[in-house]
Amino acid sequence: MNGQKKIRDYGVIIGRMEPGPRNSITDVPGVLVGHATLSGGDIHTGVTAVLPHAGNLYEDKVPAACEVFNGYGKSTGLMQIEEVGTIETPIVLTNTLSVGCAASALVEYMLERNPEICRTLPTVNPVVCECNDGYLSDIRGLHIKREHVFQAIEAAAEEFEEGAVGAGTGMSCYHLKGGVGTASRRVGLGEGFTLGALALTNFGALADLMVAGIPAGQIISDVQKSDELEKGSVILIIATDMPLSSRQLKRIARRASLGLARTGAHMGHGSGDIAVAFSTANRVPQTARADFHTITILNEEKIDTVFRAVIECVEEAVLNSMVCAAPTTGRDGHFRRSLSEYMDLILDGSRH
Amino acid sequence: MNGQKKIRDYGVIIGRMEPGPRNSITDVPGVLVGHATLSGGDIHTGVTAVLPHAGNLYEDKVPAACEVFNGYGKSTGLMQIEEVGTIETPIVLTNTLSVGCAASALVEYMLERNPEICRTLPTVNPVVCECNDGYLSDIRGLHIKREHVFQAIEAAAEEFEEGAVGAGTGMSCYHLKGGVGTASRRVGLGEGFTLGALALTNFGALADLMVAGIPAGQIISDVQKSDELEKGSVILIIATDMPLSSRQLKRIARRASLGLARTGAHMGHGSGDIAVAFSTANRVPQTARADFHTITILNEEKIDTVFRAVIECVEEAVLNSMVCAAPTTGRDGHFRRSLSEYMDLILDGSRH
Amino acid sequence: MNGQKKIRDYGVIIGRMEPGPRNSITDVPGVLVGHATLSGGDIHTGVTAVLPHAGNLYEDKVPAACEVFNGYGKSTGLMQIEEVGTIETPIVLTNTLSVGCAASALVEYMLERNPEICRTLPTVNPVVCECNDGYLSDIRGLHIKREHVFQAIEAAAEEFEEGAVGAGTGMSCYHLKGGVGTASRRVGLGEGFTLGALALTNFGALADLMVAGIPAGQIISDVQKSDELEKGSVILIIATDMPLSSRQLKRIARRASLGLARTGAHMGHGSGDIAVAFSTANRVPQTARADFHTITILNEEKIDTVFRAVIECVEEAVLNSMVCAAPTTGRDGHFRRSLSEYMDLILDGSRH
Amino acid sequence: MNGQKKIRDYGVIIGRMEPGPRNSITDVPGVLVGHATLSGGDIHTGVTAVLPHAGNLYEDKVPAACEVFNGYGKSTGLMQIEEVGTIETPIVLTNTLSVGCAASALVEYMLERNPEICRTLPTVNPVVCECNDGYLSDIRGLHIKREHVFQAIEAAAEEFEEGAVGAGTGMSCYHLKGGVGTASRRVGLGEGFTLGALALTNFGALADLMVAGIPAGQIISDVQKSDELEKGSVILIIATDMPLSSRQLKRIARRASLGLARTGAHMGHGSGDIAVAFSTANRVPQTARADFHTITILNEEKIDTVFRAVIECVEEAVLNSMVCAAPTTGRDGHFRRSLSEYMDLILDGSRH
């Protein structure tokens, strides 16, 4: 979509469902993604914002759910998603030590646009998720500021870059360069819907990497030694325009780990592995007055095809985050190669 | 302990276990509490810090657990407590919109003292809990700054004030003045231990208030009309020096709601009702090298007396937060009376 | 409703909402309750069945949720309620060691009425909850048989007995006689709805018992010594005809513990304290073909009044289970007095 | 170990850790497995019992945890494992509709051996897990009886059969024959430990099957059409002799899904996908008198190698359950081929 070579462009097909036109989370109508990137010297970090829709999210919330696969992480805002099943701000991704700053900036952003928050209306729940980009970036420098959060939100668009950009700028995945990746699937229920995933990838040990069942990590290990241990985290954002309840979204979020597993993930002790899922149908208004309202939800007996879509999207989004990411030299000369550099070797190896 | 008149000083005895010498969470050896208070004009807010011990918490963590009774709240750091069962920073309490700022300040505080965080050692998990003091305070003004967090931590001591102070400065409870309160109980297992609770109270509807079974809210309602709805939250910090596993601490945290209920709580839709419990025994070092270690834990068959202690402490801490709080006039002339003003009426009423 | 003297008949009013016409869970239209009672000699046990509606529950499920306050119990069927948010069989209550037998009988009951279960249609999830009546009854004798389950289901009616009957026959509560109790509240949202609770009570230590804030247990302890420890469990069934999602039902179920707490409960280590809630609106058909369907749910901002209703119902249902229960002599001469025997003393005591 | 050809005997190596001597859950010292098999005509079902140790489990419990990946299942006993973190009976596996019968039989088995259950000692928590073997077996006939449960327990030994035996007799996996499979791994922490998994497999759609990254299901689909949908469940029992807390066991249980995912699992809507994990170290006595006791647990920073072991064991145990299972003709002529029949084709296909 943006001229970048994605995993599918290498002839690697994940699963059997059809992607949307951009093979992106923004194939879900209304969903926008924006980045702010800080890159240079010892600083390789940034912010990525995912907007469930372009309107005022506080006034017009979306049904949502989250699932924590391993909770060694500092993401914030998940507790309220779990309790009331809605998201009411953009979802902001950044580095681990900048969550507080980003949450504060997101609160300011929302206060500016909603003068009645904490006056006649309730509080606002900022959703900020993170991975630790400290291997490539001077994370202790706390370089993310208020303006980067605003900038990422304001840059949100249907077209966005993947790889070493935004929150993905300094991330590592399977000891190669990680970053931001996305994928989507068409789901043929009703009049047809789209489900998309965006992954912020920062996990895994090289030898474990699998690309569509090929033991890519072992092939690469033959030429690039790595004795690092698995470390790090992954954030998975799932979006769909299918009408779903927050309970159904939770079941969908839970399947994201299966897509992860197919790339070789072990969900290490020190990881913050989290999925956040939302539906853009069934908006929840801030100030509804009626005692009751009607919502449309999926017949639960038909949900398996949505489970399949999320598993395929997550597996592909992780791989996209890697092949789209350029090799990066960061803090103290730390270096990560790109999966794209090894794709010929991997595909070649799998043919013999 | 600090010259303040607590609920027990009115002759109201909660439960049947003995309090510690201060009837305070700081009866648990090593636990310290400090406040930073901003009070004047439209600003009535602050920070309260609870330190599980006076040493370096990142190097020397404490076993911990949390329980979310209702998750409409913005507290941060709970996910990692749930996953790995430890706390590694001071616990900071403040207002809802300042959580991001406080988390960021707490990260800075920890980075300053631990140069290897995010270098050779893992990330750090700031624990910040909150209630919404927007009725009495200009919460949208974001008046809490980095220095108030540092100030509260550095003020931490065994003796501390209760009532309208620190994070409790602008809180409301049962439509009266809320704030910070504490209580403790002696638990006679083994050589004897102490369990203490600290409550940040900001919940409840006046008519529901019960004081040791007396329908205090209804007695007060006869002289002070209130048609406000239940709103708000409560944070409960539970400390003990008894050796407990994080799983045992979770079971203990879960009982805090029973103490709340005895004061009349309904855990309303819009509340962030949370308990965080820790034990100062069984420290978990950051850099242990052994593959295995031994810990001492409670024989689970004896845990009922600990459950009783936490229920009594929570009930009494809530009442202490109210009777110790002076009446307060805040933002836009909003006003909260103090429970202490009604204690004669209540005790008188219960006698007839 | 059935000539029994309930707590309200003693002039004790719990809360401020209005009960339904029978002050019973069967005030919720369609809900039926039936008992099978085994009483005599060393055997004091039985079965109670709660039917969400009189039709075929497998074909026409009800939205449901459950909450486990303390999980030292053997109830079965809760996992699937949690996952898919529906109930598809009568809810059967019995003694702890008879859960397997009752589950098996309930499966047989459902198979007889649904020839396509496990043929063209899925499996069926029997819901059986329990408390341990071993103090008064020879529970090791496994006296509950298949026919008692059928008998309880077939006896289900709008009018049913409370106290020492059905599953409540051998139960103890606060070291007095426990059993089955019920209460209901009118909830004035929309065109008006009813919420009801049924409690199977088998928990508590005498000295902790509170009756509407009066320290009844301490009053009784002056005349009846007890040094028994808290033991046992409680099962709370919540029904309503209000249209609610299973997520909303879960939030409602969670409040049941607050009603319990007001009677003096501590949720001891060895207790299986469980709430199961269902709504008779929004039926979920077994064989819906449409991809999507619309449901009506409560505006979440209005849920507080439902929380209040469940708290009041549970508190009152527990007290009804006790005052309606006749004193019972059981296994090995074990004896439980009835709360009804002390009501004069309690009410008298509270007036002085 | 038992003359059966396991997946490793085909030259397929899963992961990189070493199996134990039998490559079986019974490589964990003390763990025993027994079967009772009913096979013939329309009846293809049975019981499998896993004994954490050969002694009296009620008197001498093992630390345990469970994780529900998808809860559309009827397993019983998990709630108490979750609450108190112990197992106190053999773990019994059988078909879905026989859980009640098996639970009742297991209670009888325990009562016979422990005369003080429900007298001077607490109740007992039977753990029974299940999958639906209704495709191959007349599950509605309720053919499992009390004696089959006793028989499986009494047959428990270190050597046991895999494939279409015991509870696995009638199971289907990826539309081929499923059953019971096992695998183990050596974990080199401390003086060295073993972790083993036993899988009861009854899930998956043929086209999704992956064998060590090879798209086996697609290769088979070319010669054997299947348009069935994913259905069914999987039970995973994890055992180790490593000293672990129940919280650590829960984290380990949670990784089982990653091993499943590598075989192609989607965790369908209608599945009861459950892992139960226990450690044979740190026994928990029924009647300990001391207030506190010391336990040895793993340094949590070293847990990643245990995560890897469970992922590898689960992937391999699932494949073993399939290759060890003979093709089966069951109820109404329903037929399942064996994965073993296709192994040449699969391995051949992967080489070109």
Side-chain angles (χ1 to χ4, degrees):
Chain A
M1 79 190 210
N2 43 30
Q4 289 185 297
K5 195 167 175 188
K6 299 178 72 161
I7 194 71
R8 198 166 279 259
D9 299 321
Y10 291 91
V12 176
I13 305 302
I14 302 299
R16 36 178 137 131
M17 299 177 77
E18 279 301 303
R22 292 186 189 89
N23 196 12
S24 164
I25 195 172
T26 58
D27 287 329
V28 179
V31 176
L32 304 174
V33 176
H35 298 301
T37 302
L38 285 76
S39 188
D42 278 359
I43 305 177
H44 295 268
T45 193
V47 177
T48 295
V50 180
L51 279 58
H53 63 69
N56 188 323
L57 282 154
Y58 179 77
E59 285 177 0
D60 208 19
K61 306 172 204 303
V62 290
C66 55
E67 178 75 9
V68 177
F69 301 113
N70 196 64
Y72 198 113
K74 286 76 182 173
S75 294
T76 198
L78 304 185
M79 179 177 66
Q80 186 165 323
I81 296 177
E82 182 75 19
E83 183 70 39
V84 291
T86 56
I87 286 178
E88 60 187 16
T89 70
I91 302 164
V92 168
L93 313 179
T94 189
N95 76 61
T96 312
L97 298 185
S98 295
V99 168
C101 172
S104 198
L106 190 48
V107 162
E108 289 185 53
Y109 180 89
M110 298 307 291
L111 291 181
E112 285 180 11
R113 276 150 192 82
N114 296 280
E116 292 307 315
I117 287 178
C118 286
R119 293 286 194 253
T120 57
L121 294 177
T123 55
V124 64
N125 180 45
V127 178
V128 182
C129 297
E130 52 75 31
C131 297
N132 174 4
D133 56 15
Y135 183 78
L136 288 176
S137 187
D138 170 34
I139 190 173
R140 288 179 56 98
L142 303 176
H143 301 287
I144 297 298
K145 305 294 178 198
R146 178 185 184 282
E147 60 261 29
H148 303 124
V149 175
F150 279 63
Q151 191 182 319
I153 296 173
E154 280 153 13
E158 291 182 350
E159 302 282 332
F160 66 95
E161 240 185 297
E162 296 174 68
V165 65
T169 306
M171 300 299 168
S172 301
C173 195
Y174 292 105
H175 302 147
L176 301 171
K177 187 71 194 73
V180 171
T182 192
S184 71
R185 291 294 181 272
R186 296 286 304 157
V187 183
L189 292 166
E191 64 258 54
F193 298 97
T194 302
L195 182 140
L198 180 140
L200 177 66
T201 64
N202 193 55
F203 68 97
L206 177 57
D208 293 329
L209 175 63
M210 304 225 304
V211 174
I214 306 167
Q218 287 169 35
I219 295 170
I220 299 173
S221 293
D222 288 345
V223 298
Q224 176 194 320
K225 291 285 160 253
S226 165
D227 56 358
E228 291 178 74
L229 295 175
E230 154 127 30
K231 261 197 293 201
S233 301
V234 63
I235 305 296
L236 300 160
I237 312 296
I238 318 291
T240 184
D241 55 347
M242 184 181 290
L244 297 164
S245 70
S246 57
R247 197 177 55 73
Q248 293 176 327
L249 284 162
K250 177 143 187 111
R251 299 185 77 201
I252 288 164
R254 212 181 298 156
R255 266 69 188 178
S257 64
L258 302 180
L260 270 188
R262 282 159 209 214
T263 70
H266 284 69
M267 303 203 308
H269 160 64
S271 68
D273 296 343
I274 292 164
V276 176
F278 61 85
S279 161
T280 60
N282 289 326
R283 302 289 174 77
V284 182
Q286 177 68 52
T287 51
R289 289 217 169 62
D291 288 340
F292 295 91
H293 53 269
T294 58
I295 61 170
T296 298
I297 60 171
L298 180 64
N299 178 343
E300 202 102 1
E301 300 293 326
K302 315 261 180 167
I303 203 169
D304 280 343
T305 188
V306 192
F307 289 168
R308 182 175 296 277
V310 75
I311 295 169
E312 292 191 7
C313 281
V314 166
E315 182 177 355
E316 189 161 334
V318 168
L319 297 175
N320 281 338
S321 79
M322 297 179 74
V323 288
C324 292
T328 301
T329 305
R331 177 175 72 83
D332 296 339
H334 287 178
F335 181 64
R336 292 294 185 204
R337 302 193 73 100
S338 169
L339 176 59
S340 62
E341 302 175 75
Y342 293 111
M343 283 306 295
D344 286 350
L345 183 68
I346 292 165
L347 296 172
D348 213 46
S350 78
R351 272 183 220 105
H352 300 290
Chain B
M1 80 189 205
N2 43 30
Q4 290 185 296
K5 195 168 174 187
K6 299 179 73 160
I7 193 72
R8 198 166 279 259
D9 299 320
Y10 290 92
V12 175
I13 306 301
I14 302 298
R16 35 178 137 132
M17 298 176 78
E18 278 303 302
R22 293 185 189 90
N23 196 12
S24 164
I25 193 172
T26 58
D27 288 329
V28 180
V31 176
L32 306 174
V33 176
H35 297 300
T37 302
L38 287 74
S39 188
D42 279 358
I43 304 177
H44 295 268
T45 192
V47 176
T48 294
V50 180
L51 278 58
H53 63 70
N56 188 323
L57 282 155
Y58 179 77
E59 284 176 1
D60 209 18
K61 307 173 202 301
V62 289
C66 55
E67 178 76 8
V68 177
F69 301 113
N70 196 65
Y72 197 113
K74 285 76 183 172
S75 295
T76 198
L78 305 185
M79 179 176 67
Q80 186 165 323
I81 297 175
E82 181 76 18
E83 183 70 40
V84 291
T86 57
I87 286 178
E88 60 187 16
T89 70
I91 302 164
V92 168
L93 312 179
T94 189
N95 76 61
T96 312
L97 297 186
S98 295
V99 168
C101 172
S104 197
L106 190 49
V107 163
E108 289 185 54
Y109 180 89
M110 298 306 292
L111 291 181
E112 284 180 12
R113 277 149 192 82
N114 297 279
E116 292 308 314
I117 286 178
C118 286
R119 292 286 196 253
T120 57
L121 294 177
T123 54
V124 64
N125 180 44
V127 177
V128 183
C129 298
E130 51 77 30
C131 297
N132 175 4
D133 57 14
Y135 183 79
L136 288 176
S137 187
D138 171 32
I139 189 172
R140 290 179 56 97
L142 303 176
H143 300 288
I144 297 297
K145 304 295 178 199
R146 177 184 183 285
E147 60 261 31
H148 303 123
V149 174
F150 279 63
Q151 191 182 318
I153 296 173
E154 280 152 13
E158 289 182 350
E159 301 282 331
F160 65 96
E161 240 184 300
E162 295 175 68
V165 64
T169 307
M171 301 299 167
S172 301
C173 195
Y174 291 105
H175 301 149
L176 301 170
K177 187 70 194 76
V180 171
T182 191
S184 71
R185 290 292 182 272
R186 296 287 305 157
V187 182
L189 292 167
E191 63 258 56
F193 298 97
T194 304
L195 183 141
L198 180 141
L200 177 66
T201 63
N202 193 53
F203 68 96
L206 177 57
D208 293 329
L209 175 63
M210 305 224 303
V211 174
I214 307 167
Q218 286 169 36
I219 295 169
I220 300 173
S221 293
D222 289 346
V223 299
Q224 175 194 322
K225 289 288 160 252
S226 165
D227 55 0
E228 292 178 74
L229 295 175
E230 154 127 29
K231 261 198 294 200
S233 301
V234 64
I235 305 295
L236 300 161
I237 312 296
I238 318 293
T240 184
D241 54 348
M242 183 181 291
L244 296 165
S245 69
S246 56
R247 195 177 58 72
Q248 292 176 328
L249 285 162
K250 178 142 187 110
R251 299 185 77 199
I252 288 164
R254 211 181 299 155
R255 266 68 188 178
S257 64
L258 303 179
L260 271 188
R262 282 159 209 214
T263 70
H266 284 70
M267 303 202 308
H269 160 64
S271 67
D273 295 345
I274 291 164
V276 176
F278 61 85
S279 162
T280 60
N282 290 326
R283 301 289 174 78
V284 184
Q286 177 67 53
T287 51
R289 287 215 172 65
D291 288 339
F292 295 91
H293 51 268
T294 57
I295 61 171
T296 299
I297 61 173
L298 179 63
N299 179 343
E300 202 103 0
E301 300 294 325
K302 316 262 180 165
I303 204 169
D304 280 343
T305 187
V306 193
F307 290 169
R308 182 176 297 276
V310 74
I311 296 169
E312 292 191 8
C313 280
V314 166
E315 181 176 354
E316 188 160 334
V318 167
L319 297 174
N320 282 338
S321 79
M322 298 179 72
V323 287
C324 293
T328 301
T329 305
R331 175 175 72 83
D332 297 338
H334 287 178
F335 181 64
R336 293 293 184 205
R337 303 193 73 103
S338 169
L339 176 58
S340 62
E341 303 175 76
Y342 295 111
M343 283 307 295
D344 285 350
L345 182 69
I346 291 165
L347 296 172
D348 213 48
S350 77
R351 272 181 222 106
H352 300 290
Chain C
M1 81 192 208
N2 43 30
Q4 290 185 295
K5 195 167 175 188
K6 299 178 72 161
I7 194 71
R8 198 166 278 259
D9 299 319
Y10 291 91
V12 175
I13 306 301
I14 303 298
R16 35 178 137 132
M17 299 176 78
E18 278 302 304
R22 291 185 190 92
N23 196 16
S24 163
I25 195 171
T26 57
D27 287 328
V28 180
V31 176
L32 305 174
V33 175
H35 297 301
T37 302
L38 285 74
S39 189
D42 278 358
I43 305 177
H44 295 267
T45 192
V47 176
T48 296
V50 180
L51 278 57
H53 63 68
N56 188 324
L57 282 155
Y58 179 77
E59 284 177 1
D60 208 17
K61 306 173 203 302
V62 290
C66 55
E67 179 75 8
V68 176
F69 301 113
N70 195 65
Y72 198 114
K74 285 76 182 172
S75 295
T76 198
L78 305 184
M79 179 176 69
Q80 186 165 322
I81 296 176
E82 182 75 18
E83 183 70 40
V84 292
T86 56
I87 285 178
E88 59 188 18
T89 69
I91 302 165
V92 167
L93 313 179
T94 189
N95 76 61
T96 311
L97 298 186
S98 295
V99 168
C101 172
S104 197
L106 190 48
V107 162
E108 288 184 52
Y109 180 89
M110 298 306 291
L111 291 181
E112 285 179 11
R113 278 149 191 79
N114 296 279
E116 292 309 314
I117 287 178
C118 286
R119 292 286 195 250
T120 57
L121 296 176
T123 54
V124 64
N125 180 45
V127 177
V128 182
C129 296
E130 53 77 30
C131 296
N132 175 2
D133 55 14
Y135 183 78
L136 287 177
S137 187
D138 170 33
I139 188 172
R140 290 179 55 99
L142 305 175
H143 301 287
I144 297 297
K145 306 294 178 198
R146 178 185 183 282
E147 62 260 30
H148 304 123
V149 175
F150 278 64
Q151 190 182 322
I153 296 173
E154 280 153 14
E158 291 183 349
E159 302 282 332
F160 64 95
E161 240 185 300
E162 296 175 68
V165 64
T169 307
M171 301 297 168
S172 301
C173 195
Y174 291 105
H175 301 148
L176 301 171
K177 188 68 195 76
V180 170
T182 191
S184 71
R185 290 295 182 272
R186 296 287 305 158
V187 183
L189 293 166
E191 63 258 56
F193 298 96
T194 303
L195 183 139
L198 179 141
L200 176 67
T201 65
N202 193 54
F203 68 97
L206 177 58
D208 293 328
L209 175 64
M210 306 225 303
V211 174
I214 306 166
Q218 287 168 36
I219 295 170
I220 300 173
S221 294
D222 288 346
V223 297
Q224 176 193 323
K225 290 287 160 254
S226 165
D227 54 359
E228 291 178 74
L229 295 175
E230 154 129 28
K231 260 196 294 199
S233 302
V234 64
I235 305 295
L236 300 160
I237 312 296
I238 318 292
T240 184
D241 54 347
M242 183 180 290
L244 296 165
S245 69
S246 56
R247 197 177 56 73
Q248 293 176 327
L249 285 162
K250 178 143 187 109
R251 299 185 76 199
I252 289 163
R254 212 182 297 156
R255 267 66 189 178
S257 64
L258 303 178
L260 270 189
R262 284 158 208 214
T263 69
H266 283 70
M267 304 202 307
H269 160 64
S271 67
D273 295 344
I274 292 164
V276 175
F278 61 83
S279 162
T280 59
N282 290 325
R283 302 288 174 79
V284 182
Q286 177 69 52
T287 51
R289 290 219 167 62
D291 288 340
F292 295 91
H293 53 268
T294 58
I295 60 170
T296 299
I297 60 172
L298 179 64
N299 179 343
E300 202 102 2
E301 300 294 326
K302 317 259 178 166
I303 203 169
D304 279 343
T305 187
V306 192
F307 290 168
R308 182 175 296 276
V310 73
I311 295 168
E312 293 191 5
C313 281
V314 165
E315 182 176 355
E316 189 161 333
V318 168
L319 297 175
N320 282 337
S321 78
M322 297 179 73
V323 287
C324 293
T328 301
T329 304
R331 175 175 71 83
D332 296 338
H334 287 177
F335 181 64
R336 294 294 185 204
R337 302 193 73 102
S338 169
L339 175 58
S340 62
E341 303 175 75
Y342 295 111
M343 283 306 297
D344 285 350
L345 182 69
I346 291 165
L347 295 173
D348 212 48
S350 77
R351 274 184 219 105
H352 300 291
Chain D
M1 79 191 209
N2 43 30
Q4 290 185 296
K5 195 166 174 188
K6 299 179 72 161
I7 193 72
R8 198 166 278 260
D9 300 319
Y10 292 91
V12 175
I13 306 301
I14 302 298
R16 37 178 136 131
M17 300 177 77
E18 279 301 304
R22 292 186 190 91
N23 196 14
S24 164
I25 195 171
T26 58
D27 288 329
V28 180
V31 175
L32 305 175
V33 175
H35 297 300
T37 302
L38 286 75
S39 189
D42 278 358
I43 305 177
H44 294 268
T45 193
V47 175
T48 295
V50 180
L51 277 58
H53 63 67
N56 188 323
L57 284 154
Y58 179 77
E59 283 177 2
D60 207 17
K61 307 173 203 300
V62 290
C66 55
E67 178 76 9
V68 177
F69 302 112
N70 196 64
Y72 198 115
K74 286 75 182 173
S75 295
T76 197
L78 305 184
M79 179 176 69
Q80 186 165 322
I81 297 177
E82 181 76 19
E83 183 70 41
V84 291
T86 56
I87 286 179
E88 60 188 15
T89 69
I91 303 165
V92 168
L93 313 179
T94 189
N95 77 61
T96 311
L97 298 186
S98 296
V99 169
C101 172
S104 197
L106 190 48
V107 163
E108 288 183 54
Y109 180 88
M110 299 307 290
L111 292 181
E112 284 180 11
R113 277 149 193 79
N114 297 280
E116 291 310 312
I117 287 178
C118 287
R119 292 286 195 251
T120 57
L121 295 176
T123 54
V124 63
N125 180 45
V127 178
V128 182
C129 298
E130 53 76 30
C131 297
N132 175 2
D133 56 15
Y135 182 77
L136 288 176
S137 187
D138 171 34
I139 189 172
R140 290 178 56 98
L142 304 176
H143 300 288
I144 298 297
K145 306 295 177 196
R146 178 185 185 284
E147 61 260 31
H148 304 123
V149 174
F150 278 63
Q151 190 182 321
I153 296 173
E154 281 153 14
E158 291 183 351
E159 302 282 330
F160 65 95
E161 240 186 298
E162 295 175 68
V165 64
T169 307
M171 301 298 169
S172 301
C173 194
Y174 293 105
H175 301 148
L176 301 170
K177 188 68 194 73
V180 170
T182 191
S184 71
R185 291 292 182 273
R186 295 287 305 158
V187 183
L189 292 166
E191 62 259 54
F193 298 97
T194 303
L195 183 140
L198 180 142
L200 177 66
T201 64
N202 193 53
F203 68 97
L206 177 57
D208 293 329
L209 174 64
M210 305 224 304
V211 174
I214 306 167
Q218 286 170 36
I219 294 170
I220 300 173
S221 294
D222 288 345
V223 298
Q224 177 193 320
K225 290 286 160 254
S226 165
D227 55 359
E228 292 177 73
L229 295 175
E230 155 129 26
K231 261 196 294 199
S233 302
V234 63
I235 305 297
L236 300 160
I237 311 298
I238 318 292
T240 185
D241 54 348
M242 183 180 290
L244 296 165
S245 69
S246 56
R247 198 179 54 74
Q248 293 176 326
L249 285 162
K250 178 145 187 107
R251 299 185 77 201
I252 288 164
R254 213 182 296 154
R255 268 65 189 179
S257 64
L258 302 180
L260 270 189
R262 283 160 208 214
T263 69
H266 283 70
M267 304 202 308
H269 160 63
S271 67
D273 295 344
I274 292 164
V276 176
F278 61 84
S279 162
T280 59
N282 290 325
R283 302 289 174 78
V284 183
Q286 176 68 52
T287 51
R289 290 219 166 62
D291 288 341
F292 295 91
H293 51 269
T294 58
I295 60 169
T296 299
I297 60 171
L298 180 64
N299 178 344
E300 201 103 1
E301 301 293 327
K302 316 260 179 168
I303 204 170
D304 280 342
T305 187
V306 192
F307 289 169
R308 182 176 297 276
V310 73
I311 296 170
E312 292 191 7
C313 281
V314 165
E315 182 177 355
E316 190 161 331
V318 168
L319 297 175
N320 282 337
S321 79
M322 297 179 74
V323 288
C324 292
T328 301
T329 304
R331 175 176 71 83
D332 297 337
H334 286 177
F335 181 64
R336 293 295 186 203
R337 303 193 73 101
S338 169
L339 176 58
S340 62
E341 302 175 74
Y342 294 111
M343 284 306 297
D344 285 349
L345 182 70
I346 291 164
L347 295 173
D348 212 49
S350 77
R351 275 185 217 103
H352 299 290

